[in-house]
Every structure is written in C-alpha cells, then in structure tokens.
Amino acid sequence: MHFLSTVIRFVVAALVLIVTSWLVPGFNVGGFWSALFLAVVIALVAWIIEGIFGRKINPFGRGIVGFLTSALVIWLSQFVVNRVEVTVLGAILAALVVGIIDLFVPVSTPFDATGKDKERAK
C-alpha cells in the first residue's frame, strides 16, 4: 500500500507541475513524463537537502528560507531533466504557485518515512 501511495503522490505532483507550467511564464515542462521525472528529481533533491540541513530548510516548508530553497531546487532541476526550461523568475513564480496549489491539494500521505501512521505515533 505504501508503494501505491508513493506512485499516486508523484503522479499528483507531476500534474501540479503541468498546471504550474500553464500558469507561470518562464516555467516550461515538455509533457507528462518530463513532469513526472521532474517531480522525482525535486523530491530527491528535497530529501538530500532535508538530510543535510534538517527539516527547517525543507524546500516545501514554510517561511522565506523554504520558499527560496524551493525556487532554487526548481531552477536547478532544469539541468537534470530534459524538456524543462526555467528562468529565475519562473522558478520563483513556480515555487509560489506550487506552494499555493499544495495548500489545496496536499502532496503528502498520512504516513512517515517508515510507513507508520503519523496520527497514531503522536
């Protein structure tokens, strides 16, 4: 079940990135597969950054540091993923739009990294 929820999370994230590319000038994603690979790259970079600096600098965390980190991750990911073009302003606007969309369509599961229920762990 954990694998299925992870796949669904990446598909939803890819759809959010496609919608973002329609809304934001300077942020172009070349299709669903590019968006899906972009979602995976963003998640991996976020995981690495969180491992190095801790949860407070999480790219999709709250605050200006999280917002700027998110924009930097989006901008840097264009060098890894084919058919993705991002300007600096496009990365900033994309981070804003992804953050707003994430408020309404959260791309997280109720489970932590070990697969245990977060609510029961409290």
Side-chain angles (χ1 to χ4, degrees):
M1 187 67 169
H2 184 62
F3 174 76
L4 182 60
S5 66
T6 302
V7 170
I8 291 170
R9 224 174 42 195
F10 281 117
V11 169
V12 169
L15 294 174
V16 166
L17 289 169
I18 288 172
V19 169
T20 303
S21 74
W22 290 334
L23 296 174
V24 174
F27 180 74
N28 297 315
V29 177
F32 176 75
W33 294 110
S34 293
L36 186 63
F37 188 54
L38 181 63
V40 170
V41 168
I42 289 171
L44 285 174
V45 172
W47 178 71
I48 291 168
I49 289 173
E50 188 176 305
I52 294 170
F53 296 107
R55 293 190 74 81
K56 292 185 180 188
I57 197 166
N58 184 349
F60 296 102
R62 294 198 163 111
I64 190 71
V65 173
F67 172 73
L68 291 176
T69 304
S70 177
L72 181 65
V73 167
I74 290 170
W75 183 77
L76 289 174
S77 64
Q78 73 177 324
F79 301 112
V80 178
V81 182
N82 277 344
R83 298 176 45 197
V84 173
E85 298 174 3
V86 184
T87 63
V88 174
L89 181 60
I92 292 170
L93 292 174
L96 180 66
V97 170
V98 167
I100 291 170
I101 292 174
D102 193 44
L103 287 174
F104 298 104
V105 183
V107 186
S108 64
T109 62
F111 300 99
D112 64 7
T114 64
K116 295 180 182 174
D117 191 348
K118 287 181 185 176
E119 290 300 317
R120 292 185 186 177
K122 289 183 181 177

